[in-house]
Amino acid sequence: MPSLQNPPQKMMFQLSLRRRGISDQAVLRAMEDVPRDMFVEPADRADAYRDIALGIACGQTISQPFVVAYMTEQLGLQKSHRVLEIGTGSGYQAAVLSRLCSHVVTIERYRTLADRARSRLAQLGYDNVEVMLGDGFDVPAGAGAFDRIIVTAAMEQIPDALAQRLGPEGVLIAPVGPLHSVQTLVRLVRTETGFERKQLVDVRFVPALPGLAREL
């Protein structure tokens, strides 16, 4: 199905991101290139370019565009980077990441979402994204280390096992705080002596839960 985006909506979409402080030109290009209307539910396509979160299957959400752009910008991506995403959802964040790095591994605990995202990303040509059905709290050992890690669901704290998956000078972004309230985006940078931690902005995400979902 072709994208329904129209120029006036896309123009306001980009202007809104710039006004809210997104300045990385590569991130802005990626946000412009990825058709968000193809990642929302059909009934919500008219609202795809509004700066709001929208519901998707399994009680999950696709984050508002500003949050996607902001988290992506804070990662400081390079074309050579290998990125891990926890919480595939619709696949939109992974698609944006894929325009800015060499490879994305994204893990989703809901089979329905994983299957839909895998199919959608393939149909749209995002062939450097690998969608895995799995537990974001228990990343398979064979997945290796990553230059960047992004968590798109709320965690009460960042598991040390996840932080240890960062390579040298790696960066992790995650919403940390109460699962059913307001969280704070936290940026971890791996250094020679440990991790530097910085709090960024307040956000609200659905909870990150361990294990595979019963609702498949």
Side-chain angles (χ1 to χ4, degrees), residues 31-200:
M31 295 292 293
E32 184 173 16
D33 289 345
V34 176
R36 191 171 187 259
D37 53 304
M38 299 301 290
F39 291 85
V40 303
E41 295 297 306
D44 291 326
R45 296 189 85 190
D47 293 324
Y49 293 98
R50 295 179 60 198
D51 195 25
I52 56 174
L54 294 167
I56 58 175
C58 303
Q60 304 303 293
T61 59
I62 175 173
S63 296
Q64 70 186 90
F66 170 74
V67 171
V68 172
Y70 182 81
M71 292 178 74
T72 302
E73 188 174 60
Q74 289 295 320
L75 286 172
L77 289 167
Q78 298 177 18
K79 278 292 186 181
S80 61
H81 283 162
R82 185 167 183 259
V83 180
L84 172 65
E85 179 192 28
I86 305 298
T88 309
S90 69
Y92 178 65
Q93 175 73 77
V96 172
L97 295 170
S98 77
R99 304 299 84 189
L100 299 162
C101 67
S102 66
H103 188 71
V104 179
V105 176
T106 179
I107 299 179
E108 175 55 58
R109 66 190 296 268
Y110 287 95
R111 184 181 301 276
T112 295
L113 292 179
D115 289 348
R116 289 183 184 179
R118 188 180 297 111
S119 175
R120 181 181 293 119
L121 289 162
Q123 288 174 2
L124 293 172
Y126 298 105
D127 53 9
N128 61 337
V129 180
E130 178 185 355
V131 180
M132 298 176 58
L133 176 67
D135 180 357
F137 286 87
D138 187 20
V139 179
F146 296 87
D147 301 294
R148 300 291 188 266
I149 298 175
I150 182 170
V151 182
T152 57
M155 293 180 157
E156 291 182 308
Q157 57 186 6
I158 299 171
D160 185 63
L162 187 59
Q164 293 298 332
R165 287 305 184 95
L166 284 174
E169 301 181 357
V171 178
L172 182 154
I173 301 281
V176 179
L179 297 187
H180 299 287
S181 184
V182 176
Q183 304 95 33
T184 300
L185 277 183
V186 171
R187 185 177 192 264
L188 285 187
V189 179
R190 186 161 201 167
T191 69
E192 293 182 356
T193 56
F195 293 93
E196 291 181 355
R197 182 184 177 107
K198 181 179 180 181
Q199 293 188 333
L200 302 174

